[in-house]
Amino acid sequence: MTANKRIVLSSDHAAIELRQTVAAHITALGWEAVDIGPTTPESTHYPKHGAAAAERVASSDCALGIILCGTGQGIMMAANKVKGIRCGVCTDTFSARMIRQHNDANMLSIGVRVVGEGLALDIVDAFLNADFEGDRHALRVDMIKELES
Ligand code: RB5
């Protein structure tokens, strides 16, 4: 894993509370949580929050990103439109580990209306504790990158 310990967090209105819980959790683990909000509960639009977090990762300001919305799906779709971002929605710890090991995912998306807090934190742990394995997987990730150009 990189020496950059900064993880950007964002969400829409649906997932503010879980996002703040995740931020406290990763801070306790020694990461620097860069929580870019929102902080107030008015209805907002997940694409702008997904894109804002993705830009922090794409620019290398943050090493990784964790984003949340109701399903995790919409905000993931927005983040993946930013060049250099590989974000997966995870509802289980196996997938959270594998998107790091095989897909070199740099962002994780979670749906607050899909998983409970305990599982969400386990998913975060699985994601953060895994590293990209390279080798044959690097070739495939390079093929994803080629699709961006
Ligand atoms: C907001 O109601 C909801 O649509 C959003 O949080 C998310 O689930 C979209 O993918």
Side-chain angles (χ1 to χ4, degrees):
M1 178 53 66
T2 171
N4 181 350
K5 297 286 283 181
R6 289 161 60 81
I7 299 180
V8 62
L9 296 113
S10 190
S11 72
D12 70 359
H13 55 280
I16 290 173
E17 196 174 322
L18 180 57
R19 189 194 77 232
Q20 291 171 339
T21 300
V22 171
H25 178 73
I26 65 172
T27 300
L29 293 174
W31 296 87
E32 180 183 350
V34 180
D35 189 343
I36 60 170
T39 54
T40 54
E42 304 85 53
S43 182
T44 183
H45 307 301
Y46 58 79
K48 67 179 181 182
H49 301 294
E55 294 290 356
R56 295 293 190 107
V57 176
S59 69
S60 301
D61 175 42
C62 295
L64 297 168
I66 300 174
I67 51 179
L68 309 92
C69 68
T71 59
Q73 301 290 353
I75 201 164
M76 173 275 290
M77 292 177 196
N80 275 322
K81 294 296 182 189
V82 175
K83 187 172 183 180
I85 296 305
R86 290 175 301 284
C87 180
V89 179
C90 291
T91 58
D92 64 278
T93 56
F94 176 75
S95 297
R97 177 163 57 85
M98 294 305 286
I99 64 169
R100 289 284 307 132
Q101 291 181 344
H102 286 194
N103 312 120
D104 199 18
N106 47 18
M107 294 186 72
L108 166 69
S109 184
I110 297 174
V112 69
R113 296 174 182 155
V114 183
V115 300
E117 179 183 303
L119 178 55
L121 297 182
D122 282 355
I123 287 169
V124 168
D125 289 346
F127 181 75
L128 296 181
N129 288 333
D131 288 316
F132 182 48
E133 291 179 349
D135 288 326
R136 69 186 189 280
H137 306 298
L139 172 71
R140 295 162 185 164
V141 172
D142 284 346
M143 292 171 75
I144 295 176
K145 292 175 182 171
E146 280 172 24
L147 295 171
E148 294 178 323
S149 43

